[in-house]
Amino acid sequence: MARRISGRSHGDPRNADTRAKVKDDYRPSRDEVLRYIAENPDRSGKREIAKAFALRGEDRIWLKDLLRDLQEEGLLNKERKRLTRAGAVPHVAVLDIFGRDDDGVLLANPSEYTGAGSPPVIAIRISRAAGGPVPGIGDRVLAKTFPTDDPSGPAYTGRVMKIFEKRSDAVLGVFRVLKDGTFRIEPVERRQPELIVDKEFQNGARNGDLVEVEPARASRYGLPRAKVLAVLGSLSSEKAVSMIAIHAHDIPHVFPADVIAEAEAVKPATLDHREDWRSLPLVTIDPADAKDHDDAVFATPDTDEKNPGGVVITVAIADVATYVRYGTPLDREALKRGNSVYFPDRVVPMLPERISNDLCSLREGEDRPAIAVRMTFSSEGRKLRHSFHRVMMKSAAKLAYPQAQAAIDGGAPDDKTRPILDSALKPLWDAYAVLRRGRQSRQPLELDLPERKILLKPDGTVDRVVVPERLDAHKLIEEFMIQANVAAAETLEGKKEPLVYRIHDAPSLAKQESLREFLATLSLSLARGAQMRPSQFNGILERVRGADNEALVNEVVLRSQSQAEYSPKNIGHFGLNLRRYAHFTSPIRRYADLIVHRGLIAALGLGPGGLAQQEADRLEEVAALISATERRAMAAERDTVDRLIAAYLAERVNDTFDARISGVTKAGLFVQLPQYGADGFIPVSTLGGDYYIYDETARSLFGERTGKGYQLADRVEVRLVEVAPMAGAMRFEMLTDPKPLPGSRRSFHKAKGRARASQSRVGPRGRRR
């Protein structure tokens, strides 16, 4: 029997009078627990739920079991250390306003929604006393959301925190010249209509050009007209393909005049408030084609007799906060962009080139301002102490990863590496050996997922796709940067200075259970425990190393992980197995790092450019915004690669390819061409020969009659049937016969049995019998 709770908020743990009215011999129903979590997103941890319902002793164990059941049934998700309703809108979310209701209230949807069914509707609340701009239809806003109890109205209300800049009315399309000599605009996005362009509005566009056009008001008859605003390039060039992604994802790519003016007016930094480190032989090690260099490194053995075998490592990072001050046009534009976006032939930078490639770039032989951290490690790789310094430095050498690695591996050093081989490079590798011992002791998650790089021809089209070799030089810089990021988080936390953490939650219980069931189909086990650790996943990955299913297990373990994000509230970084972590080492290309730099300047009294109180007060909003811009950049980069590869393979329709199954759904199979890193789809209706059943646990489709089928990560042969380059889509035909999948059939029927058993235990009012 469920407890009856009176009060304004039935689960408010702060309401002592409410808790006093709760009887001790009742437990809340499933519905009451779900409703409390929906109505109290900020207080939905297990302890807070138990406190809200005054549960003690065995009742808390009962609650833990109930919450686990609700997660396994897909009714709850675990985000950080809080529970949320499945498909729930985050407490701070980016919303798109699409219309009004009958009373004139603005209505919005989440700009990103991954739940089942249609996205929920949010009613926008506007405080007249707040002042400032008022949002309207078509605006994108950052808002705090609150669930409602009205079953017939919007599921949430939203309080606007920020209005984003409106997009232009211009649309993107392909300029087409028809046989009769008339001009048409073929839209890139399906929802846009085809447009007519009159000759006087052609603006130099040619057949096949990607253009930006301004639609005119539609006439009563015929297609609407438009005029060409700009020619962005030919569809045969990669520049046009990346421009599609820039436009489709609303990525700011043109700096406003006031931002450029401010950047051009900046004066180089001086030694004021700085230590002079220009004699220290710091070096930069980056990709060969890098233009902005934001980190330099140096290492030396520790001379302290109390630390035999120890090392002292110095990491110097470009002092962007010297030039980009809070509230200026430069700062506002950097926050709007959130990060730089990297495409195969271009970069959309967070900061203008005057800042990113000139004044802040740690160029060889030039004075540059930096914030440096000096860290001392024991011979086992344990950090003993660290200190931060605001300095003026001068890079002793600009090196590429293969160049530094070749010098260390015994190849003939070149003119750049020969003078610094003994003084700089060898001590760096000796220090990396020490850090590697610490990493092995820490045991972060070690997934083997090779990254591909697209190489372009001079005309911007695809030449080939390669998998760059993973060198110790890459790992050295990566580990040095991780340790510098940890030091930054520890310093700011110790000084009680607000900061934005880089957080990564452990896999949710539902994902853990799903992974556990999948591994069972391969006769692998994943132990249950109160707290999952990366070493448990590493043990699984080590057991399949070199086996036929190695790629499959790596893929499934990756998909079981949570997504990393930014937050002013720390929950640690699960993948790196670190308790506190913040991004500090790339302020030229990430706004999160700039915030951390400002925090260090303020906390340590390092001079001007520190974190302002007004900025510190809005870190929750900023963290949500830069997490969204990071996801936006990743999606744009992925879409561009998909379009490039689709265009590259458009001439190879009917060719056969070796492929790997990269996704399994009820509708069919996603396959990836390992040589190109490109994905395509095989509809289940084209598999033939049997009726295929989707087994979510085994990530497979198996034949009802034969038990044979296809599973995630299977290597197969496919034929390319259809290509849509503008959409980056490819359709394939399966040529490989299905294989026996006895484990898949067993897991499928086992899952069905669990579902039936769960339903039989639940009464008509949602309570377990």
Side-chain angles (χ1 to χ4, degrees):
M1 185 173 182
R3 290 175 171 161
R4 295 189 175 275
I5 300 178
S6 61
R8 181 172 56 86
S9 175
H10 74 272
D12 191 340
R14 297 169 297 181
N15 191 333
D17 293 336
T18 294
R19 293 201 308 272
K21 296 178 182 179
V22 177
K23 296 181 179 180
D24 291 334
D25 55 347
Y26 296 112
R27 291 171 175 171
S29 69
R30 289 160 49 97
D31 288 345
E32 284 181 308
V33 172
L34 290 170
R35 188 163 61 251
Y36 169 81
I37 292 171
E39 293 177 356
N40 299 275
D42 285 341
R43 302 187 300 278
S44 58
K46 278 188 287 189
R47 290 184 179 179
E48 292 161 318
I49 298 171
K51 189 175 181 181
F53 292 103
L55 299 178
R56 298 178 180 85
E58 292 184 359
D59 285 350
R60 289 193 173 222
I61 299 174
W62 168 85
L63 176 65
K64 181 179 178 181
D65 292 340
L66 173 64
L67 295 175
R68 184 182 63 245
D69 289 345
L70 292 172
Q71 289 180 75
E72 291 176 353
E73 293 170 25
L75 297 175
L76 289 179
N77 293 326
K78 187 178 181 183
E79 297 179 2
R80 305 177 198 176
K81 292 186 177 181
R82 305 202 178 281
L83 296 160
T84 62
R85 290 295 303 268
V89 176
H91 186 46
V92 178
V94 178
L95 310 177
D96 290 322
I97 299 176
F98 65 85
R100 296 180 184 271
D101 64 13
D102 294 339
D103 297 323
V105 176
L106 290 169
L107 303 176
N109 290 136
S111 62
E112 295 182 6
Y113 181 69
T114 58
S118 301
V121 175
I122 298 111
I124 299 299
R125 296 191 326 213
I126 299 174
S127 173
R128 296 182 179 179
V134 177
I137 296 173
D139 280 345
R140 175 167 287 183
V141 301
L142 188 71
K144 285 190 175 181
T145 64
F146 306 89
T148 68
D149 286 326
D150 185 1
S152 61
Y156 295 82
T157 60
R159 188 174 71 236
V160 174
M161 303 165 65
K162 177 183 178 66
I163 303 174
F164 299 127
E165 185 176 319
K166 283 190 175 181
R167 291 185 57 169
S168 166
D169 289 334
V171 298
L172 212 60
V174 182
F175 190 84
R176 298 295 188 193
V177 180
L178 304 187
K179 292 181 179 180
D180 61 3
T182 59
F183 305 140
R184 294 284 192 277
I185 299 299
E186 176 189 341
V188 171
E189 299 181 18
R190 293 181 182 179
R191 63 178 180 270
Q192 293 290 345
E194 190 176 22
L195 303 169
I196 296 174
V197 176
D198 294 324
K199 189 173 182 61
E200 60 267 31
F201 297 123
Q202 180 182 356
N203 199 16
R206 298 180 180 180
N207 188 46
D209 280 348
L210 183 71
V211 295
E212 197 171 38
V213 301
E214 181 181 44
R217 182 172 296 178
S219 61
R220 183 173 298 181
Y221 304 103
L223 294 173
R225 282 175 154 71
K227 64 178 179 180
V228 176
L229 297 177
V231 177
L232 304 175
S234 169
L235 276 183
S236 62
S237 117
E238 191 278 337
K239 184 176 180 181
V241 177
S242 62
M243 201 65 201
I244 294 174
I246 288 169
H247 180 89
H249 292 277
D250 197 18
I251 295 174
H253 63 285
V254 177
F255 285 104
D258 60 342
V259 174
I260 295 296
E262 182 185 352
E264 294 299 326
V266 166
K267 302 273 194 249
T270 67
L271 272 169
D272 194 26
H273 296 286
R274 298 183 189 282
E275 302 173 41
D276 190 347
W277 282 24
R278 287 175 292 183
S279 61
L280 189 70
L282 290 149
V283 299
T284 63
I285 306 177
D286 291 295
D289 56 354
K291 294 181 180 179
D292 55 343
H293 308 279
D294 50 14
D295 59 86
V297 293
F298 176 74
T300 184
D302 188 7
T303 57
D304 188 345
E305 295 180 356
K306 297 180 180 179
N307 186 29
V311 294
V312 179
I313 293 173
T314 301
V315 175
I317 306 298
D319 188 357
V320 177
T322 290
Y323 302 114
V324 183
R325 300 295 176 87
Y326 174 71
T328 63
L330 262 175
D331 178 63
R332 292 194 298 270
E333 183 68 17
L335 176 57
K336 183 170 73 173
R337 295 177 178 228
N339 45 257
S340 298
V341 187
Y342 294 85
F343 297 106
D345 85 324
R346 74 159 80 190
V347 176
V348 179
M350 184 179 80
L351 297 167
E353 287 192 8
R354 164 74 170 154
I355 303 294
S356 60
N357 293 354
D358 183 4
L359 293 177
C360 282
S361 185
L362 305 182
R363 293 178 175 179
E364 180 181 338
E366 298 186 22
D367 292 358
R368 287 293 182 266
I371 294 181
V373 56
R374 183 170 279 158
M375 302 171 286
T376 302
F377 292 86
S378 71
S379 59
E380 293 82 24
R382 180 170 56 89
K383 183 159 66 67
L384 303 178
R385 56 189 172 273
H386 68 265
S387 60
F388 280 90
H389 309 261
R390 204 170 195 184
V391 306
M392 184 68 75
M393 62 158 284
K394 182 185 291 186
S395 171
K398 168 192 169 183
L399 304 177
Y401 287 116
Q403 182 183 19
Q405 190 69 53
I408 287 294
D409 289 344
D414 57 23
D415 293 341
K416 188 69 68 68
T417 57
R418 188 179 297 108
I420 62 172
L421 180 60
D422 292 325
S423 61
L425 293 183
K426 287 184 179 179
L428 284 174
W429 258 258
D430 290 342
Y432 171 56
V434 170
L435 291 191
R436 195 165 49 210
R437 295 184 202 117
R439 181 182 178 92
Q440 290 168 350
S441 175
R442 192 176 81 241
Q443 293 195 55
L445 184 61
E446 302 281 6
L447 286 167
D448 184 14
L449 299 166
E451 295 186 8
R452 289 169 177 78
K453 182 176 182 179
I454 293 181
L455 301 181
L456 303 175
K457 298 176 183 177
D459 64 358
T461 58
V462 175
D463 181 20
R464 65 188 187 278
V465 181
V466 299
V467 179
E469 184 181 1
R470 176 90 165 140
L471 304 172
D472 278 347
H474 294 98
K475 299 174 185 177
L476 180 153
I477 295 298
E478 178 183 284
E479 197 61 30
F480 278 32
M481 298 305 113
I482 288 173
Q483 294 300 332
N485 288 335
V486 171
E490 289 176 347
T491 295
L492 291 173
E493 196 172 276
K495 294 288 186 178
K496 301 190 184 311
E497 182 75 19
L499 74 149
V500 170
Y501 294 92
R502 181 65 169 178
I503 62 171
H504 180 222
D505 201 0
S508 67
L509 291 178
K511 286 185 176 181
Q512 288 180 37
E513 190 60 31
S514 177
L515 175 62
R516 196 171 285 111
E517 291 176 352
F518 163 73
L519 293 173
T521 68
L522 303 178
S523 299
L524 297 170
S525 62
L526 180 66
R528 287 182 172 86
Q531 187 174 8
M532 186 69 66
R533 295 191 177 278
S535 58
Q536 294 172 267
F537 293 106
N538 291 338
I540 295 293
L541 299 175
E542 186 60 36
R543 289 176 61 184
V544 299
R545 195 174 305 281
D548 291 341
N549 56 16
E550 179 181 4
L552 167 62
V553 175
N554 270 269
E555 189 76 32
V556 176
V557 169
L558 172 65
R559 296 183 185 195
S560 72
Q561 303 303 306
S562 303
Q563 186 175 38
E565 59 182 319
Y566 296 105
S567 173
K569 298 175 182 177
N570 184 32
I571 62 166
H573 197 293
F574 176 80
L576 294 174
N577 198 16
L578 293 168
R579 293 183 2 182
R580 50 189 65 84
Y581 190 68
H583 275 165
F584 157 73
T585 54
S586 296
I588 292 176
R589 63 184 179 90
R590 291 188 307 225
Y591 195 85
D593 304 54
L594 178 55
I595 295 173
V596 170
H597 275 237
R598 289 171 175 165
L600 290 167
I601 293 167
L604 301 174
L606 299 179
L611 190 73
Q613 185 59 49
Q614 186 179 0
E615 184 178 14
D617 291 341
R618 57 193 292 257
L619 286 187
E620 183 180 13
E621 172 191 336
V622 170
L625 179 59
I626 59 180
S627 294
T629 59
E630 179 186 44
R631 292 191 294 269
R632 177 182 68 184
M634 292 171 60
E637 292 164 2
R638 183 177 60 247
D639 288 354
T640 297
V641 170
D642 288 346
R643 289 189 175 100
L644 271 173
I645 298 299
Y648 180 59
L649 297 177
E651 303 297 322
R652 300 188 60 182
V653 172
N654 292 324
D655 282 5
T656 60
F657 298 88
D658 292 328
R660 185 174 66 89
I661 295 177
S662 59
V664 182
T665 69
K666 293 178 181 178
L669 304 170
F670 289 94
V671 293
Q672 183 181 75
L673 309 185
Q675 182 180 354
Y676 305 103
D679 289 293
F681 189 62
I682 301 176
V684 68
S685 59
T686 66
L687 293 177
D690 207 339
Y691 177 77
Y692 283 87
I693 298 172
Y694 172 54
D695 182 354
E696 183 178 6
T697 298
R699 274 75 166 177
S700 69
L701 286 174
F702 70 92
E704 184 179 43
R705 178 174 52 84
T706 64
K708 296 180 179 180
Y710 304 94
Q711 190 173 35
L712 184 71
D714 280 352
R715 298 190 178 277
V716 294
E717 186 179 18
V718 297
R719 177 183 289 115
L720 181 59
V721 176
E722 183 181 1
V723 179
M726 293 295 292
M730 295 184 288
R731 184 167 64 85
F732 291 91
E733 176 187 6
M734 178 65 73
L735 300 180
T736 300
D737 292 332
K739 67 178 184 181
L741 292 175
S744 180
R745 174 174 279 183
R746 285 197 302 271
S747 69
F748 174 76
H749 290 294
K750 184 179 177 182
K752 286 183 67 176
R754 279 199 308 273
R756 284 194 297 268
S758 175
Q759 291 170 2
S760 69
R761 292 195 301 268
V762 178
R765 302 180 70 179
R767 295 190 298 274
R768 289 188 177 271
R769 290 174 174 169

